[in-house]
Amino acid sequence: MSEDEDYLKHAIRQAREHKDAGHGGPFGAVIVHEGQIIAEGWNQVTGTNDPTAHAEVVAIRGATARLGRFSLEGCTLYTSCEPCPMCLAAAYWARVEGIVYAATRQDAAEIGFDDEYLYQQLALPIQQRSLSMQQEQRDQALEVFRAWQNKSDKICY
């Protein structure tokens, strides 16, 4: 068995154990750095009433805390299911090196999760999405952006 398979089995075990314990949905994740699991995560949406507490996000939060940095360069995310758009974006923001997953987003849709719907919505022009969005006060926001751009001690991410 390969290391990828071992880490993926660990993520699936997290999903099973915490689903059985009633902590949230059937999703688990681990983050590996230099051959070691440095963080685990499982879905905690219903247990914490936090819609962002997906397994991958929980694992990313744990890994960044453990490493003491916001970048997870050199890390791999192993997850029991293809990440939803939020988790995929979080993985990009965290700069993980790669993602290894088991079930697909279509598999998640078949058991009632909205991942596929969200992917479809994101592909639409803003005005065609089901979530109403309107833009206002752009000039004021751009002032803050310019101040950030000119800030000499900013930490880029």
Side-chain angles (χ1 to χ4, degrees):
M1 187 177 323
S2 74
E3 285 185 358
D4 281 348
E5 289 174 311
D6 286 341
Y7 298 135
L8 201 50
K9 283 181 186 256
H10 191 104
I12 294 168
R13 188 168 45 252
Q14 292 297 313
R16 181 179 293 110
E17 289 174 6
H18 292 282
K19 182 259 316 158
D20 289 348
H23 296 151
F27 304 99
V30 297
I31 295 183
V32 174
H33 181 255
E34 296 178 348
Q36 298 293 318
I37 294 175
I38 61 165
E40 301 174 336
W42 52 89
N43 184 284
Q44 299 175 30
V45 171
T46 58
T48 63
N49 294 318
D50 178 355
T52 69
H54 289 199
E56 298 89 341
V57 171
V58 171
I60 287 169
R61 290 173 181 161
T64 56
R66 178 149 182 207
L67 293 176
R69 57 188 170 124
F70 55 80
S71 173
L72 294 179
E73 289 181 39
C75 295
T76 302
L77 170 64
Y78 293 85
T79 181
S80 63
C81 186
E82 181 179 357
C84 74
M86 177 185 68
C87 294
L88 182 59
Y92 272 105
W93 279 117
R95 310 291 196 263
V96 299
E97 191 170 291
I99 298 173
V100 179
Y101 64 93
T104 67
R105 66 193 205 209
Q106 292 83 9
D107 296 329
E110 287 179 15
I111 62 167
F113 289 90
D114 290 350
D115 302 31
E116 188 59 31
Y117 173 74
L118 296 174
Y119 274 103
Q120 292 168 2
Q121 286 291 301
L122 289 172
L124 294 172
I126 288 174
Q127 39 309 10
Q128 292 179 18
R129 294 179 187 163
S130 65
L131 181 62
S132 174
M133 295 176 65
Q134 67 183 41
Q135 181 185 27
E136 296 195 22
Q137 300 188 24
R138 181 173 181 247
D139 290 340
Q140 291 85 341
L142 290 178
E143 287 177 21
V144 178
F145 279 14
R146 282 189 287 279
W148 167 260
Q149 189 175 28
N150 295 325
K151 186 173 170 45
S152 62
D153 63 343
K154 68 182 171 228
I155 298 173
C156 295
Y157 60 97

